[in-house]
Amino acid sequence: MAKSDPAGTTRGRRAGTRSARPGGKTPVTGDLVQLLTPDGDRIDQVTWHDGTEYRVDFTDEEYRSLYRDLVLVRKLDAEATALQRQGELGIWASLLGQEAAQVGSGRALRTQDMAFPTYREHGVLYCRGIDPIMPLGLFRGVDLGGWDPNEFKFNMYTIVIGAQTLHATGYAMGVNMDGKTGTDDGEAVIAYFGDGASAQGDVNEAFIWASVFNAPMVFFCQNNQYAISEPLERQTRIPLYQRAAGFGFPGVRVDGNDVLATYAVTRAALDNARHGQGPTLIEAYTYRMGAHTTTDDPTRYRIASEVEAWQAKDPIARVRTFLTKQGIADDAFLAEVDEQAKQEALRLRERVLEMPDPEPLTLFDNVFPNGSPEIDAQRELTARYMDSFEGSAL
């Protein structure tokens, strides 16, 4: 599991540390920041409309490490989907197609930064060094996730749409109150959500609070084009990133299928936040190649040609093409990564199948620190009910 922090370099306009490409100005990008085209060609540096310049400067090993994470994350996700189809998980929310948005932004986090996910950020979780078995315990119904948010600086999955943006903003306001911003070692906070959540009241309230209190926040919206079955054109009349202007902070759109650009944009926004420059909204323009969850059938609301068009922009294929074109990776390396992914997926499956079922009455444990008469009564009632079944072993 590669968890190194690649030494990518970005420069934020508000941080006052612009970079300059030898030979003069770089062209202003179009409607999104892109550093790696779908054909696997590198773009040295781009300038966003507000003058911010973005670039990365990875070593060959760091490029290979990024590719490895992308492949592993996709393979583990596919294994989880298969487990659900075979009845081993209650439900699964696949990240298929959104690997670059998650690995790029996850890798951009520094150790001290705090992340607040939804329920789909398996790639970010992986980049934070959390055992990938953890979310499967949640979706199998044997625990509530199991990782320590304080240890990994990665909060628990949040199912309620958009609620985590308020949690993150409150946390970020606390970071300010604790005086943990204003230096290179400052702490920044990132909140993940989707295009559908951007219409939620919680998200808009979080924008307001983060803006007026200059919270060290990065709002990371993965625009995967659908709020379950609702297409983007039914959700907004303007690009989502432009909404930030109405709340008084910058917004930027990045090619969410480009892991390099996602890394550069996220790192710049986080660094601005940690230096006391306030929030940024990032719209990672991507596509959910699979279903919303395993309870969804996307063939009922989108056409095959649309999916095929986005498959041509596959986030992993373009990195693979780039590595091959540049001679950074050979067939032996690519085969080794595929084999590692296969073996890790196999171990994941075995561990899921070995998970013990929890004792039903543990449902009532840890509700309150010192217990409660009401919870005790519910526990006793449930125990009597379960004892009423013939052959009960409770």
Side-chain angles (χ1 to χ4, degrees):
M1 184 182 299
K3 295 293 167 287
S4 63
D5 183 17
T9 302
T10 60
R11 297 290 185 269
R13 183 179 65 84
R14 286 173 292 150
T17 54
R18 287 190 189 184
S19 63
R21 187 174 63 175
K25 296 181 178 179
T26 56
V28 175
T29 188
D31 63 347
L32 82 176
V33 176
Q34 185 182 74
L35 294 174
L36 186 65
T37 72
D39 293 328
D41 295 323
R42 275 279 282 113
I43 299 171
D44 179 55
Q45 183 169 295
V46 296
T47 304
W48 185 239
H49 304 295
D50 64 359
T52 304
E53 297 175 344
Y54 297 102
R55 65 183 175 86
V56 293
D57 186 18
F58 292 112
T59 66
D60 288 354
E61 181 53 37
E62 287 166 345
Y63 280 124
R64 286 191 289 267
S65 179
L66 275 175
Y67 175 77
R68 186 184 300 276
D69 275 5
L70 291 168
V71 172
L72 291 177
V73 164
R74 174 172 291 187
K75 184 64 175 178
L76 294 174
D77 179 74
E79 194 63 38
T81 298
L83 283 164
Q84 195 285 326
R85 296 303 190 200
Q86 294 161 9
E88 300 297 341
L89 301 180
I91 190 173
W92 183 250
S94 171
L95 60 68
L96 181 61
Q98 299 177 218
E99 296 88 351
Q102 297 197 14
V103 170
S105 62
R107 287 288 204 98
L109 290 162
R110 299 188 190 276
T111 304
Q112 69 271 25
D113 295 336
M114 183 71 186
F116 286 78
T118 66
Y119 47 78
R120 200 189 300 277
E121 274 67 57
H122 321 309
V124 185
L125 176 144
Y126 186 86
C127 290
R128 294 306 271 174
I130 298 173
D131 187 336
I133 195 70
M134 291 294 183
L136 277 74
L138 172 65
F139 286 104
R140 189 174 168 86
V142 301
D143 57 42
L144 297 176
W147 63 87
D148 182 351
N150 291 320
E151 178 183 359
F152 296 100
K153 303 289 284 186
F154 187 83
N155 200 43
M156 306 306 293
Y157 277 6
T158 300
I159 307 299
V160 179
I161 304 301
Q164 74 283 355
T165 58
L166 282 172
H167 307 159
T169 299
Y171 182 97
M173 291 168 63
V175 170
N176 262 349
M177 293 175 184
D178 289 341
K180 294 182 178 177
T181 58
T183 69
D184 290 344
D185 296 328
E187 182 175 355
V189 182
I190 189 169
Y192 290 87
F193 58 101
D195 46 290
S198 69
Q200 290 287 105
D202 288 15
V203 174
N204 288 269
E205 291 160 13
F207 286 174
I208 293 171
W209 281 83
S211 176
V212 299
F213 285 95
N214 202 43
M217 278 293 307
V218 174
F219 294 101
F220 193 92
C221 176
Q222 291 175 82
N223 177 0
N224 65 16
Q225 311 300 320
Y226 286 92
I228 306 182
S229 60
E230 198 73 2
L232 186 64
E233 61 266 24
R234 297 290 181 87
Q235 303 180 59
T236 181
R237 292 297 184 95
I238 62 170
L240 293 175
Y241 78 89
Q242 292 183 6
R243 289 182 176 176
F247 294 91
F249 55 88
V252 56
R253 175 186 271 180
V254 63
D255 182 348
N257 284 13
D258 174 356
V259 69
L260 306 184
T262 304
Y263 176 92
V265 169
T266 309
R267 172 56 67 88
L270 288 166
D271 285 347
N272 280 335
R274 81 178 77 260
H275 282 97
Q277 302 298 318
T280 297
L281 170 61
I282 297 173
E283 178 190 359
Y285 200 75
T286 182
Y287 191 75
R288 191 194 74 216
M289 290 189 191
H292 173 68
T293 69
T294 46
T295 64
D296 173 41
D297 176 8
T299 64
R300 300 184 64 179
Y301 54 83
R302 66 185 188 189
I303 57 178
S305 60
E306 177 185 300
V307 179
E308 291 169 359
W310 276 94
Q311 286 173 337
K313 305 173 187 176
D314 185 278
I316 299 179
R318 70 175 69 182
V319 178
R320 183 185 180 108
T321 302
F322 165 70
L323 295 178
T324 303
K325 281 183 178 178
Q326 298 299 315
I328 297 173
D330 56 18
D331 289 344
F333 169 78
L334 299 174
E336 182 266 321
V337 172
D338 288 343
E339 181 61 23
Q340 181 186 354
K342 177 181 176 181
Q343 293 303 320
E344 291 204 15
L346 179 61
R347 284 194 291 274
L348 186 75
R349 165 175 288 274
E350 292 172 345
R351 294 172 67 195
V352 168
L353 298 181
E354 291 171 354
M355 282 184 178
D357 290 336
E359 291 296 328
L361 294 183
T362 60
L363 174 70
F364 299 96
D365 293 345
N366 307 312
V367 177
F368 297 109
N370 301 312
S372 119
E374 290 81 5
I375 294 297
D376 292 344
Q378 291 176 29
R379 183 199 308 272
E380 184 179 346
L381 182 63
T382 303
R384 287 203 305 271
Y385 171 74
M386 300 194 74
D387 283 340
S388 69
F389 291 93
E390 183 178 0
S392 172
L394 284 176

